[in-house]
Amino acid sequence: MAYPDSEHPTGLLLSAIALSLIVASSLSVYPLSQYLSTLRPMFMIMVLVFWLLFQPRYVGVFIAFAVGLIADLLTDSRLGQQAFAAVIMAFAIRLTSFYLKQLNTLSAWLVAALSLFVFQLTLWILQIITQSTFVAQSAFSLVLSIVSWPLVLLALRKFTR
C-alpha cells in the first residue's frame, strides 16, 4: 500500500531505508588507517538526514534515536551520546521543515549542513561535559560530510517523495 503523496510502495520504501542504513553503517566501520579514519564522513548520519528530510512519515525521532544507538555501539563511543545528538538533529530538521515550503537541492543541502553541524556540535558539548575532552579532528569529518552530502542525495534521489 502506498500513501497518496508517495509514488513508491511502502514495502519498497521501508526496504530502501533499511538497506541504505545498513550500507551506511558498514561504511562507517570499514577499517581505515588512523589518518584516513579522521577524514571519514559521517555516513550513517548523512543517510539519516536524507530520510528525515525526504521521508518524514517513515523516519522520525524514534528512528533517529535507534540509529544513534547503533552508531554508538558500532563506533565504541559512550552509549547514548550519538543517540542524543541524533535526536537533537532530528528536532532541528523538523523545526526547519516547518519553514520550508519547497525543498530543492540547494535548500536540502543547506538544511543537511545545518543538521550535520548541530549533530557534531551536540557531540562536542556532550564530550566536554562527560569526558572533559574536545576532539577537534572531528571537524574534518564534519566538513567532508557537508561537502559529500550531495552524493547521498544523488544516490537516493529516486526516493525523494
Side-chain angles (χ1 to χ4, degrees), residues 17-29 43-44 47:
I17 292 169
L19 184 65
S20 66
L21 288 171
I22 289 170
V23 169
S25 68
S26 65
L27 289 173
S28 295
V29 295
F43 290 112
M44 285 185 70
V47 170

Side-chain angles (χ1 to χ4, degrees), residues 26-85:
S26 65
L27 289 173
S28 295
V29 295
Y30 189 79
L32 295 173
S33 69
Q34 185 177 2
Y35 173 72
L36 287 178
S37 64
T38 60
L39 297 176
R40 181 192 321 253
M42 301 178 279
F43 290 112
M44 285 185 70
I45 304 305
M46 291 165 47
V47 170
L48 178 63
V49 166
F50 175 84
W51 292 119
L52 284 167
L53 278 174
F54 291 106
Q55 294 298 334
R57 176 174 285 145
Y58 298 104
V59 178
V61 175
F62 179 75
I63 299 294
F65 180 76
V67 168
L69 275 180
I70 292 169
D72 281 329
L73 293 172
L74 288 175
T75 60
D76 198 30
S77 63
R78 296 218 177 185
L79 191 61
Q81 285 186 346
Q82 291 190 46
F84 181 74

